[in-house]
Amino acid sequence: MSRIGKLPISIPAGVTVQQDKDGVVTVKGPKGELSQKVDSSIKMKIEDGHIIFEIDENSPVNVKQKQAFHGLYRSLINNMVVGVSEGYKKEMELVGVGYRVSNQGNIVEFALGYTHPIFIQLPKEVKVETKSERNQNPQIILESCDKQLLGMICAKIRSFRMPEPYKGKGILFKGEVIRRKSGKSASAK
């Protein structure tokens, strides 16, 4: 059995968890609704305000795969429960001269030193806020109940201008430290 898979998930107040006969788990809460299909080799039980995952011994899937699924689906459902009850938040900052960001609704516009601005349309599940204050780096604050979707969007935004180790410019997560390189060193004669 998986160490992570054995841990029960407590269901907070205001959150409902349902599983249909096809193995699709739906989690509803104050922040939204998420669903995830669970493999047939994993059995899910809801009892006393907790979700418990067990491996189905009669499943034709091999043992290693069952153990991997056990921890995987427990983590996915836990992320869904936390997402619909508390939500997830990521903060990013743009480091570089002339780097700017602004948004109108869910359309975000970036000026990152290219010859053209970059526009990205975010899904309706993600709330975005941009801040541009004097003498501070521009910031992007993203919020969502779906951790996986939020991570994919952050990776996409970061790919527009990856942080580089020589000057430290690029799109970084708030508080992230980039290991700096010295660059060219003078040759000794």
Side-chain angles (χ1 to χ4, degrees):
M1 283 177 66
S2 166
R3 283 182 287 174
I4 293 171
K6 285 191 281 188
L7 301 172
I9 301 169
S10 62
I11 303 171
V15 175
T16 60
V17 180
Q18 296 174 340
Q19 183 179 23
D20 64 6
K21 60 184 174 194
D22 297 330
V24 177
V25 177
T26 305
V27 182
K28 294 179 188 172
K31 299 271 186 180
E33 178 181 337
L34 297 170
S35 60
Q36 171 71 44
K37 181 161 178 29
V38 177
D39 194 77
S40 60
S41 63
I42 303 299
K43 289 190 267 182
M44 186 181 103
K45 287 193 266 181
I46 302 168
E47 50 190 41
D48 300 331
H50 286 74
I51 305 170
I52 299 164
F53 292 91
E54 294 176 350
I55 296 175
D56 184 7
E57 299 300 331
N58 300 327
S59 175
V61 181
N62 69 8
V63 177
K64 285 269 193 199
Q65 190 67 48
K66 286 181 197 176
Q67 290 173 346
F69 280 161
H70 193 208
L72 169 75
Y73 287 115
R74 190 264 177 207
S75 293
L76 290 176
I77 303 297
N78 185 50
N79 289 343
M80 288 166 54
V81 169
V82 172
V84 298
S85 61
E86 301 167 22
Y88 291 101
K89 182 177 182 179
K90 294 273 188 181
E91 295 183 30
M92 303 175 89
E93 59 184 355
L94 282 66
V95 179
V97 177
Y99 287 8
R100 292 186 311 276
V101 64
S102 63
N103 72 306
Q104 289 187 356
N106 273 15
I107 298 174
V108 185
E109 177 184 0
F110 295 92
L112 299 172
Y114 296 116
T115 58
H116 57 283
I118 298 171
F119 293 92
I120 184 170
Q121 169 79 44
L122 300 179
K124 64 181 186 305
E125 294 91 10
V126 178
K127 294 182 189 129
V128 64
E129 180 187 343
T130 56
K131 290 183 185 175
S132 295
E133 296 175 9
R134 190 172 174 89
N135 297 330
Q136 287 190 340
N137 293 326
Q139 294 181 355
I140 312 164
I141 300 163
L142 300 163
E143 292 183 54
S144 179
C145 63
D146 192 347
K147 187 176 186 180
Q148 183 177 354
L149 178 67
L150 190 64
M152 285 173 39
I153 289 170
C154 287
K156 179 68 176 171
I157 289 172
R158 191 176 159 100
S159 72
F160 295 149
R161 198 55 105 162
M162 292 292 287
E164 54 95 16
Y166 297 104
K167 294 182 182 177
K169 293 167 49 171
I171 301 175
L172 310 141
F173 288 105
K174 184 91 174 180
E176 182 181 5
V177 178
I178 299 295
R179 273 184 62 196
R180 302 291 294 274
K181 292 184 179 178
S182 61
K184 289 185 178 178
S185 57
S187 61
K189 288 188 176 185

